[in-house]
Amino acid sequence: MEAFNEAIPQLIDEAGWLGPALFIILHLIRPLLFIPVIVVCIIGGYLFGFFYGTLYSIIGLSLMSLGFYKLINLFPFFHKRIIKLKQKVFKDRLLTIGQVMILRMMPFVHFHLLSLYLIDMTKTYREYMIYSIGGVIFPSMLYTAFGQGITELPWYLSLIFFGLLAMIFSYLGKRGTAVYKWERFFPSKVYER
């Protein structure tokens, strides 16, 4: 096992520029392989270290968001399937951008479902990409740096961590609802579904 652990970093070192390119491609094909985002980010931290693992994960997830946006517009049946999933999981619940960002940090929350929410909340492609890139920075950093630690934490510490994220999510939902009600009377920028 020790030889295997030493062989992987050596392989990445010998791959040169191909190693990061293959890792970014892994992010792009990850949905087809049913691999959670957290697993790929942990692999990036292990293979490339914190800085480069985070950078490559941000690039890969941003390109995946870009690809999702293009797929939704090119294939209406794909858009309908994601909308059905959205209705099944969240019903008709409105989410704020802050809640989407918190959900991006939760492992095993469907990445493309959250991207669909961002598409619905934003008016332009540029705005969507700004929020998409902004929304993957912190989770990439978190899972690259602490992903291995989170998976090795005792179950009660993991529950506390995810409980804190759930409380922040709930708080942002209440705050977002209050802002939404206020903006009905004084519109500045209301996000419609």
Side-chain angles (χ1 to χ4, degrees), residues 97-112:
I97 289 179
Q99 286 178 310
V100 171
M101 299 307 166
I102 293 294
L103 284 173
R104 282 271 162 105
M105 288 185 286
M106 300 280 218
F108 311 113
V109 174
H110 199 284
F111 187 86
H112 295 307

Side-chain angles (χ1 to χ4, degrees), residues 83-99:
I83 286 176
K84 284 181 185 177
L85 179 65
K86 176 183 167 186
Q87 291 170 346
K88 183 179 177 183
V89 174
F90 290 111
K91 304 199 177 16
D92 289 328
R93 182 175 179 151
L94 292 173
L95 295 178
T96 64
I97 289 179
Q99 286 178 310

